[in-house]
């Protein structure tokens, strides 16, 4: 990376990769694990490969963006908690333990 982009390019590359991984590591593991894994795997694979192809580089960031977007959607619109009276009165919502809802 240093030979092709110089010192400023190397600093930018490290900020992009490390910054992305730090952000994905700090969010909820339900959403951040997949994004972190694809970014880390692309970084490791890129260090052992001869060149980076643009599509192979952008797809991990698309998946990481989908993970962060899913977290933002979940935080903005959490699923409603079932009402205790409704759940107890409606067997389709919560069938008794050991039975199969028809």
């Amino acid at each position: 990376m240093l030979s092709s982009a110089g010192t400023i390019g190397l600093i930018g590359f490290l900020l992009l990769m490390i910054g992305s991984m730090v952000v994905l590591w700090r969010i909820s593991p339900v959403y951040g694990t997949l994004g972190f894994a694809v970014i880390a795997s692309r970084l490791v694979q890129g260090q052992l490969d001869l060149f980076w192809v643009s599509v192979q580089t952008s797809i991990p960031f698309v998946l990481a963006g989908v993970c962060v977007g899913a977290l933002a959607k979940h935080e903005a619109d959490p699923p409603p908690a079932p009402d205790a009276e409704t759940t107890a009165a409606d067997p389709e919502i919560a069938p008794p333990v050991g039975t199969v809802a028809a």
Side-chain angles (χ1 to χ4, degrees):
M1 184 71 206
L2 183 60
S3 65
S4 63
T7 306
I8 295 175
L10 176 64
I11 292 170
F13 172 77
L14 291 174
L15 284 173
L16 173 69
M17 297 305 285
I18 294 171
S20 300
M21 293 173 68
V22 166
V23 167
L24 291 165
W25 185 262
R26 289 185 178 178
I27 66 175
S28 170
V30 172
Y31 299 99
T33 303
L34 175 64
F36 182 86
V38 295
I39 297 291
S41 67
R42 181 62 192 136
L43 177 63
V44 170
Q45 191 269 332
Q47 299 310 306
L48 303 173
D49 201 358
L50 295 176
F51 59 91
W52 288 49
V53 179
S54 63
V55 172
Q56 291 177 346
T57 304
S58 61
I59 289 175
F61 286 100
V62 169
L63 290 174
V66 168
C67 293
V68 173
L71 174 64
K73 170 86 170 108
H74 177 78
E75 288 177 348
D77 188 26
D83 186 16
E85 293 177 7
T86 306
T87 305
D90 191 354
E92 288 186 18
I93 294 176
V97 177
T99 63
V100 178

